[in-house]
Amino acid sequence: SFPVSLPDRKIEYTHSGSRLRIGNAEAPVKGGHSAVAMVPDVLFYDNQQHLRVMEEMLKDFVLGEHLLLVGNQGVGKNKIADRFLQLLNLPREYLQLHRDTTVQTLTLQPSVQDGVISYKDSPLVRALETGRVLVIDEADKAPTHVTCILKNLLEGGEVLLADGRRIIPASRAHEYPRHKVVLMHSDFRMVVLANRPGFPFLGNDFFAALGDIFSCHAVDNPDMDSEMAMLRQYGPSVPEATLRKLVLAFGELREMADEGLIAYPYSTREVVSVVKHLQLYPEEGVGGVVRNVFDFDSFHPELLEVVVKVMHQHSIPIGASPTNVQLAPEHPLPPPKLVGRWMVGVGSTSGVKVQTTPLSLKGPYKLPSDTYPIDRRELRGRGFSELKSVWSIPMHETSQIEDICAGCSRNGNETLHIAVSNPPSLYSMPLDSTSLSLLDLSSPQLPLPSFPLWGRGGARLSLA
């Protein structure tokens, strides 16, 4: 399941040292601070979908908003947040929540020194005091009554700590003694990462409880083009056909998770792990590497059967045997029999009448064209078969196939063309594609006479 294709506008970013521009959003880059070691340094391969998310994040960040990223596990929320802060050259504090997080551990951090337990300021207190960005991970795991302290902090600007100190805005510093307050820095920002509620993450609905105080951004798995572009950079030596199989297979698993057929939504994280492994160990087959991702599912035979079936449909040979070879049966041919003779006349010539028909077209004509997805099933997932793949064409019930021809498109891909009648139309699809295009030739905008049109290679398309 892939998100809706992105608009034609290509998102790019420029980093001039003092200014950062992502798409149509622009912001100054911080410099001269002493906490250089706390600025994230992450391996990140740019793709259009993640750049679009960061463009919207930058717009809200410039307005002084706190950010909330919501998405499934493994879609890249941490990567996007770290890359965003890296481009802005902003130091961050990191805080990960869990089911045992309390209000005290949210504001104070216990440590043991020389056998004595002492309490220090948590990353939350340090970030708001120094003006750094606080990244809160797994925010949905903590109890709601604990995370509601963030609502009091961001809306009211005041929180009482367990040691008696009070967090207040800098504008109210004159109201309390200095040693009893923690002044909130004007540059303090918060980036919260949370999974969507419900199974299988079993977290709380963080968005319902605190979503109104954040600028929320949904992070989904990259669309097909973005995911392919990212995987090419993770595995430059991995064949393009292998990357495409992995993207299509895991995309189908995500679609099944959205429909409730399987529980876990296999994300981009799993695909990246497979590609990185294939890049380092190309001698290992893709079937064995992919099997490592699904080893835990071996305890659920029903789920494993569904996953293996999807892998086989995309020619990923999980559990395949080299001895599993399926060939077509042999049928003996009858003995040759003379059915006729052709004689070539010698010394005689005869003319052949050629009929010409004048053709006058006013154009260009824009014919209606539609694209349809096809349910393509690969048949070489578990063993070798002479039949490579099968799929169904969405034809009209009165249509009849008149001719089929194959050739190469401009980009070098093998393309299959199918001419049908009643109504006359032309189906075209690359042989490695999961969709086909339909060109309607019965449009009244195309005033062609009724005559056979012969193409290259002897393929005939009957236009009526």
Side-chain angles (χ1 to χ4, degrees):
S1 176
F2 296 101
V4 179
S5 299
L6 298 177
D8 294 335
R9 182 172 70 95
K10 185 177 180 180
I11 306 296
E12 296 181 347
Y13 77 90
T14 56
H15 195 287
S16 62
S18 60
R19 304 289 296 181
L20 170 67
R21 184 179 183 87
I22 305 178
N24 296 327
E26 187 174 355
V29 176
K30 295 288 185 179
H33 51 73
S34 59
V36 179
M38 303 190 71
V39 177
D41 186 11
V42 61
L43 175 64
F44 187 89
Y45 293 119
D46 298 321
N47 62 79
Q48 287 298 298
Q49 182 156 327
H50 288 168
L51 286 176
R52 179 169 293 275
V53 173
M54 287 193 287
E55 179 190 19
E56 299 301 322
M57 291 171 58
L58 187 59
K59 293 178 182 178
D60 295 327
F61 195 83
V62 171
L63 297 176
E65 298 284 344
H66 301 278
L67 306 179
L68 170 62
L69 305 184
V70 181
N72 291 339
Q73 290 181 354
V75 296
K77 299 187 295 295
N78 291 79
K79 286 272 191 179
I80 292 175
D82 288 345
R83 178 61 171 173
F84 181 74
L85 299 179
Q86 180 184 12
L87 293 175
L88 289 173
N89 196 32
L90 292 175
R92 68 164 169 91
E93 296 279 356
Y94 180 81
L95 180 62
Q96 187 175 31
L97 305 186
H98 48 81
R99 289 177 174 82
D100 297 326
T101 301
T102 62
V103 175
Q104 183 177 2
T105 58
L106 193 62
T107 55
L108 294 177
Q109 187 174 22
S111 61
V112 179
Q113 293 181 349
D114 299 329
V116 179
I117 298 178
S118 61
Y119 291 88
K120 299 181 179 180
D121 290 338
S122 70
L124 169 61
V125 178
R126 294 198 303 265
L128 61 87
E129 188 175 18
T130 58
R132 297 169 184 164
V133 178
L134 174 66
V135 177
I136 300 181
D137 197 8
E138 305 291 351
D140 59 299
K141 299 298 188 293
T144 306
H145 70 274
V146 174
T147 54
C148 280
I149 191 177
L150 303 177
K151 189 179 184 70
N152 297 334
L153 176 64
L154 299 182
E155 283 189 336
E158 183 174 347
V159 172
L160 182 62
L161 302 180
D163 59 359
R165 294 180 298 166
R166 186 182 299 271
I167 300 175
I168 60 174
S171 59
R172 297 174 52 191
H174 61 280
E175 298 181 9
Y176 300 91
R178 183 65 183 89
H179 66 281
K180 290 187 176 182
V181 296
V182 176
L183 301 181
M184 184 184 300
H185 200 283
S186 59
D187 291 337
F188 170 68
R189 291 288 190 279
M190 193 179 297
V191 179
V192 180
L193 314 178
N195 297 314
R196 60 172 177 81
F199 192 84
F201 308 116
L202 302 179
N204 299 306
D205 195 348
F206 185 88
F207 175 77
L210 288 88
D212 57 332
I213 61 175
F214 292 94
S215 175
C216 303
H217 301 270
V219 182
D220 202 351
N221 289 289
D223 61 279
M224 186 172 181
D225 293 336
S226 298
E227 193 167 19
M228 285 290 294
M230 180 174 58
L231 294 180
R232 291 188 191 103
Q233 298 177 82
Y234 276 109
S237 300
V238 180
E240 183 82 5
T242 301
L243 297 179
R244 187 177 184 84
K245 291 178 184 177
L246 292 171
V247 170
L248 293 176
F250 278 86
E252 185 171 346
L253 290 177
R254 296 166 196 159
E255 183 177 354
M256 297 176 69
D258 294 339
E259 296 174 354
L261 301 178
I262 59 177
Y264 185 76
Y266 296 94
S267 62
T268 304
R269 178 187 299 166
E270 285 80 18
V271 188
V272 170
S273 299
V274 172
V275 173
K276 291 168 66 176
H277 191 105
L278 291 174
Q279 175 68 19
L280 294 176
Y281 306 99
E283 68 279 0
E284 297 188 19
V286 63
V289 178
V290 171
R291 183 59 186 262
N292 295 336
V293 177
F294 306 112
D295 276 344
F296 186 77
D297 297 325
S298 300
F299 297 99
H300 303 278
E302 298 83 2
L303 175 59
L304 184 61
E305 182 180 355
V306 173
V307 171
V308 170
K309 182 178 179 181
V310 172
M311 294 295 112
H312 288 170
Q313 289 179 353
H314 295 277
S315 294
I316 299 178
I318 295 182
S321 172
T323 60
N324 186 10
V325 178
Q326 302 176 8
L327 299 178
E330 295 184 0
H331 298 281
L333 296 177
K337 181 175 60 175
L338 182 63
V339 295
R341 296 176 181 271
W342 289 85
M343 302 297 294
V344 178
V346 179
S348 62
T349 59
S350 59
V352 179
K353 295 182 178 180
V354 178
Q355 182 179 358
T356 60
T357 302
L359 181 62
S360 176
L361 293 177
K362 296 181 180 179
Y365 295 100
K366 185 176 181 180
L367 300 180
S369 177
D370 298 311
T371 302
Y372 297 94
I374 58 174
D375 184 14
R376 182 190 184 98
R377 291 185 297 156
E378 301 290 342
L379 301 181
R380 295 182 180 178
R382 300 191 61 179
F384 177 78
S385 171
E386 292 185 346
L387 187 59
K388 184 177 182 295
S389 57
V390 295
W391 62 88
S392 299
I393 300 176
M395 292 175 53
H396 193 272
E397 59 182 7
T398 61
S399 298
Q400 294 183 356
I401 296 179
E402 301 293 344
D403 211 334
I404 299 176
C405 69
C408 291
S409 60
R410 295 179 179 178
N411 55 10
N413 295 331
E414 291 185 335
T415 305
L416 185 67
H417 302 282
I418 304 172
V420 301
S421 58
N422 298 326
S425 52
L426 179 66
Y427 294 90
S428 300
M429 61 168 292
L431 294 182
D432 58 349
S433 176
T434 58
S435 63
L436 56 79
S437 61
L438 171 61
L439 187 65
D440 186 8
L441 300 176
S442 62
S443 173
Q445 299 178 4
L446 188 65
L448 292 179
S450 176
F451 67 97
L453 178 63
W454 292 82
R456 296 181 60 184
R460 192 184 76 165
L461 174 62
S462 298
L463 301 178

